[in-house]
Amino acid sequence: MSERALRGTRLVVTSYETDRGIDLAPRQAVEYACQNGHRFEMPFSVEAEIPPEWECKVCGAQALLVDGEGPEEKKGKPARTHWDMLMERRTREELEEVLAERLAVLRSGTMNIAVHPRDNNKRKSA
């Protein structure tokens, strides 16, 4: 008979436990404000580390902790240029040697410079 009583009661979805007689961890309400003027409170445990920023509940923008320190600035790496990466692979002497070789090939006139197919089409139609 008890099997029939539980049938269709959504046991998997619904919890039949109550909060009576349970002591919740001590909490504190922390206030955040976003740049669009929205203010809201978030509950945190007293022992928790409070994040300096939180996503606004209303608009989704970054909200900052009211009366708190701002988020720490992340140290970013300076952007590496093509020259920086090249200098990691070769010394200046090696680069000057490669440049001299390539200039010698260009000046000798033995290098076959291919013409792009589109350029050939323009010349034929003209």
Side-chain angles (χ1 to χ4, degrees):
M1 189 72 172
S2 64
E3 280 184 19
R4 293 182 189 165
L6 292 176
R7 189 177 298 163
T9 59
R10 303 183 318 176
L11 281 175
V12 176
V13 178
T14 307
S15 173
Y16 291 104
E17 294 183 16
T18 64
D19 291 337
R20 275 185 261 139
I22 298 175
D23 291 332
L24 298 175
R27 304 202 183 274
Q28 61 180 333
V30 179
E31 188 176 15
Y32 288 93
C34 79
Q35 53 190 311
N36 297 328
H38 304 121
R39 293 178 86 90
F40 59 95
E41 288 187 347
M42 292 298 300
F44 286 97
S45 170
V46 174
E47 300 168 355
E49 184 178 325
I50 308 300
E53 56 186 3
W54 198 266
E55 185 177 314
C56 179
K57 289 180 165 184
V58 180
C59 64
Q62 285 296 89
L64 298 176
L65 184 64
V66 175
D67 299 331
E69 295 180 18
E72 292 180 12
E73 295 283 331
K74 293 183 180 179
K75 294 180 181 177
K77 292 185 194 176
R80 286 181 15 184
T81 63
H82 178 72
W83 179 254
D84 295 333
M85 291 184 270
L86 185 64
M87 292 307 290
E88 289 174 5
R89 295 189 311 263
R90 306 212 181 205
T91 64
R92 191 166 190 93
E93 292 79 25
E94 290 175 330
L95 290 173
E96 288 175 0
E97 184 179 322
V98 170
L99 176 63
E101 290 173 7
R102 299 312 300 163
L103 286 174
V105 169
L106 284 173
R107 289 181 182 137
S108 68
T110 58
M111 192 167 108
N112 185 10
I113 300 175
V115 179
H116 197 276
R118 282 190 229 147
D119 293 339
N120 284 338
N121 292 337
K122 288 180 186 175
R123 290 181 188 158
K124 289 178 184 176
S125 65

